[in-house]
Each structure stands twice: as C-alpha cells, then as structure tokens.
Amino acid sequence: MKGTVYKSTGSWYLVKTEDGKAYNCRIKGKFRIQGIKSTNPVSVGDIVHFDIDDKADEVTGVIKEIEERDNYIIRKSVNLSKQTHIIAANIDVAFLIVTLNNPPTFTTFIDRFLVTAEAYGIKAVLLFNKIDSYTEEEKDEIRYLAAMYREIGYTCLGISAKTGKNIDQLKEMMLGKTCLFSGHSGVGKTTLINKIEPTLDLKTAQISSQHMQGQHTTTFAEMFDLTMGAKIIDTPGIKGFGVVEIEKDELGDYFPEFFALKQFCKFNNCMHIEEPKCAIKEALEQEELFWSRYKSYLQILEGEDEHYRTDIYPKK
C-alpha cells in the first residue's frame, strides 16, 4: 500500500491512500533515514509504503519505506541540540505568518525561516497578519518590512484572518499546492486556517498577556485537504528556529541579495566579515543592502541561536 502521512503523533502516523482511506500506521523496529539525525524519521507530507496488519482488533499498517523527499523543512530539536526535527516534507509553498506585536515576530526569526526555505528549495511567502489591529504608525512599520522583503524577492501579503482582508488572494496562491503554515504561537495561524476552510473548525487559544505569546493549540503537525483543491499543513507554534545542516561557507548563498553580489568580492571564499574588498560590506556601507539581514547572517554564522530554541513542540 502507498499513501501520504497526514499526521504524526510521535509513535503513530495517520496515512491516507489515494482512494481516501486512512490508516493508523507505526514504524517497525529501527527505522532511520541515512544521513539525517532526526527525532522523527517519518514526517507529515512523506509518501510512504506500508503493509496492512489485520491481526489486531483494528486494522493498522506498518511503514516499511519512505519515498525520496522533494524537499523538507527542518530545524534544531529543542532538548537534543545535535538532533533535528523535520517539520514537514514535500512542500510547495511555506507561508510564515508574521505579527508586529501580540506576539512580536523579529526579523532574525523571519530570516532564519527564509534561509532554511532557500536551502531546501521551498518557495517562501510572508503573511503579515492582524493588519486590522494596527495603528497607522505600526502599519508604516509593516509597510517598511514588506517593502524590504519584496525588494529581496519574497512575496509579501498583508492579511486579516479576523476581517477576511486579502484571504481570496491568499487562496489563489494556494490553489493545487501543498502549503505549510508556520509562525510563533499566537500569530493567528489557526484562525487563518479556519477562515480559509471554515469546515475544519480547528481550536484556537488565547494569547497569554503576561508574555504576549500564544498558548499552544496545535501539538503536532497535521495536514488537511481543502475543498478548494489544496493541502494545508498546520504546524505547532514555534518559539525558535535553529538553522541546521548549512555549512558556514554556504550560508551567504541562502541570502539571495548576498548571493547576487558575491562574484564581486575580491576573494571567492569571502565570508563577508573581515575580508578586504568585500562586495557585501561595500553595498551595506552604500545602504544598498539591509543591515537587519546582515545582522541575521552574522548571528546564524556565529551559532547564536540558543535563545531561539527555548521550546517548540510542547511535551505530551
């Protein structure tokens, strides 16, 4: 049997076959993908082959093989710093939901997400949510951020899950695609998904005013089929995004605006830090590049991500 993983709860995986039948499956014995030190060998979005086990009261499946992934999005696992967590696989578009406050989404977090998407060949789109709740001054800040990321080449869309602003435009971007939705807890991800597909009726949580962070409502990534002909992968709210599996000398390649200039650096192995005649540093001095992006680059390079990984997937 062949199917797609729609939900993972750690030890069991909900697998749906092409004819729409769903099976609870598990992994038999040691099942590790070569080269990936991951806390979850099978992830939502994976295409798997499984055998039916009908000896028990309930018909279940045993996963025996994972097809090669087109791509996946990955980050450092929280408690096991050497291990990684695959958030989802075989994604067409990764949407990052950004809020200016309640809770704040900082550019360092956005950039880590974008770098990971670039590294794994996934198209990323920034959704600036809750635009109905901002003051004029805050809207200017959003406009500045959107203009910056658009200039770099990313699609940005201002939306309101509450009022429905630009939701039709978002749906057009999603048509026929497998879409990952990610962001901090409390950015309105679940409300947005319910707006796109009201029949899902997913649970939402209130924001904790003490820390201006959302309470986790999604504890495991899960994929849903939408009536409009798209798939949506809902992920747990992420507090931190530790970048993994990217070599230091390759990091600049995943900042598209740095990559475009690196051929003009004096040294072909330029790290854009202390080297003379560095095209990236010269462009920064001329204000042709954004300093916030360079700051993110340096932070990732120096491995300053401990405080980004305080905790993401809530414990069962």
Side-chain angles (χ1 to χ4, degrees), residues 82-303:
K82 290 212 167 59
Q83 289 215 290
T84 58
H85 190 105
I86 299 167
I87 298 174
N90 303 318
I91 302 154
D92 294 316
V93 192
F95 290 97
L96 182 67
I97 301 162
V98 173
T99 46
L100 195 62
N101 47 39
N102 293 350
T105 309
F106 298 112
T107 51
T108 41
F109 178 83
I110 297 171
D111 293 338
R112 283 161 188 273
F113 186 88
L114 294 176
V115 161
T116 302
E118 289 285 341
Y120 293 98
I122 301 167
K123 178 181 165 63
V125 173
L126 299 180
L127 299 175
F128 292 91
N129 193 20
K130 304 188 183 180
I131 54 170
D132 57 289
S133 67
Y134 297 131
T135 63
E136 222 27 68
E137 205 175 308
E138 287 168 334
K139 279 181 187 165
D140 282 344
E141 213 169 317
I142 293 279
R143 287 183 195 111
Y144 172 79
L145 278 176
M148 172 173 92
Y149 285 108
R150 281 191 190 113
E151 193 175 314
I152 294 161
Y154 293 105
T155 301
C156 299
L157 186 65
I159 58 164
S160 169
K162 201 171 166 185
T163 66
K165 185 177 171 67
N166 288 339
I167 298 301
D168 286 344
Q169 239 177 297
L170 172 58
K171 284 181 175 178
E172 276 174 38
M173 290 181 191
M174 294 171 66
L175 275 178
K177 297 186 171 79
T178 297
C179 308
L180 176 92
F181 275 60
S182 200
H184 290 314
S185 296
V187 291
K189 187 163 48 68
T190 308
T191 306
L192 176 60
I193 293 171
N194 284 336
K195 195 79 178 175
I196 294 164
E197 186 78 30
T199 54
L200 289 176
D201 196 23
L202 304 178
K203 277 199 312 228
T204 59
Q206 297 307 305
I207 288 184
S208 134
S209 55
Q210 191 185 353
H211 300 296
M212 291 308 242
Q213 287 179 344
Q215 307 298 304
H216 291 290
T217 37
T218 319
T219 44
F220 295 100
E222 185 169 2
M223 182 148 74
F224 300 98
D225 292 318
L226 306 184
T227 47
M228 65 184 223
K231 288 184 171 74
I232 207 163
I233 299 174
D234 186 16
T235 60
I238 298 169
K239 279 187 186 167
F241 208 95
V243 173
V244 276
E245 290 188 353
I246 295 173
E247 297 298 326
K248 289 190 170 189
D249 58 353
E250 286 176 7
L251 178 62
D253 296 355
Y254 303 125
F255 285 75
E257 69 277 39
F258 294 4
F259 182 67
L261 290 175
K262 81 171 204 175
Q263 59 182 319
F264 303 112
C265 290
K266 183 179 179 182
F267 300 104
N268 59 8
N269 61 347
C270 184
M271 295 292 287
H272 324 306
I273 305 172
E274 303 292 342
E275 299 89 341
K277 299 227 162 61
C278 165
I280 276 84
K281 286 198 302 183
E282 285 171 9
L284 281 164
E285 293 300 339
Q286 301 293 323
E287 298 197 351
E288 289 161 7
L289 290 178
F290 297 98
W291 280 97
S292 68
R293 294 277 287 169
Y294 185 64
K295 182 183 154 201
S296 295
Y297 168 76
L298 292 180
Q299 273 196 356
I300 299 169
L301 204 58
E302 289 157 16

Side-chain angles (χ1 to χ4, degrees), residues 3-17 21-26 42-46 48 50 58 63 221-224:
T4 304
V5 178
Y6 269 64
K7 189 176 187 178
S8 145
T9 55
S11 49
W12 286 92
Y13 301 91
L14 182 71
V15 178
K16 213 184 253 194
T17 56
K21 283 189 183 148
Y23 296 87
N24 270 321
C25 295
R26 57 197 162 79
V42 179
S43 83
V44 169
D46 270 331
V48 296
F50 63 100
E58 183 197 356
I63 293 170
E222 185 169 2
M223 182 148 74
F224 300 98

